[in-house]
Amino acid sequence: VRFWTVFRSEADIKRDMKVKLKGTEQGLVAYWNLDEGTGTTANDVKKDATHKLSFCTAAGGPCSDANNAMPAWVASDIPGPFTCAP
């Protein structure tokens, strides 16, 4: 998941959708790879502590009874190949 403060054209998005960014790209506000694999939080690649995502769990705060299970991390089935930003 990526949040930007700059306009991203459809071509920009398609070009970069399978590129793991460095987190220092101009206009990139927040970026979560969601690849931690364990635990109940996802950290922003940019290391901004205010951008930590916490998953709803019974021990982690107000949740409805239906959503109190621990998150189930699964391997992505998005077809590659993926590259790293230069």
Side-chain angles (χ1 to χ4, degrees):
V1 177
R2 301 168 181 177
F3 290 161
W4 298 87
T5 61
V6 295
F7 174 78
R8 303 279 295 167
S9 70
E10 181 179 351
D12 292 336
I13 294 168
K14 284 182 179 180
R15 180 193 67 227
D16 295 336
M17 66 188 265
K18 292 185 180 179
V19 175
K20 288 191 81 154
L21 303 178
K22 293 179 180 181
T24 57
E25 289 77 7
Q26 182 177 358
L28 183 63
V29 176
Y31 175 32
W32 298 270
N33 283 328
L34 302 176
D35 61 357
E36 283 81 359
T38 62
T40 60
T41 60
N43 294 305
D44 177 11
V45 171
K46 295 179 65 65
K47 307 293 186 216
D48 186 327
T50 65
H51 293 169
K52 183 180 286 192
L53 298 177
S54 296
F55 301 101
C56 182
T57 65
C63 295
S64 66
D65 289 339
N67 294 324
N68 66 0
M70 293 296 289
W73 293 91
V74 296
S76 173
D77 61 357
I78 298 172
F82 292 88
T83 59
C84 293

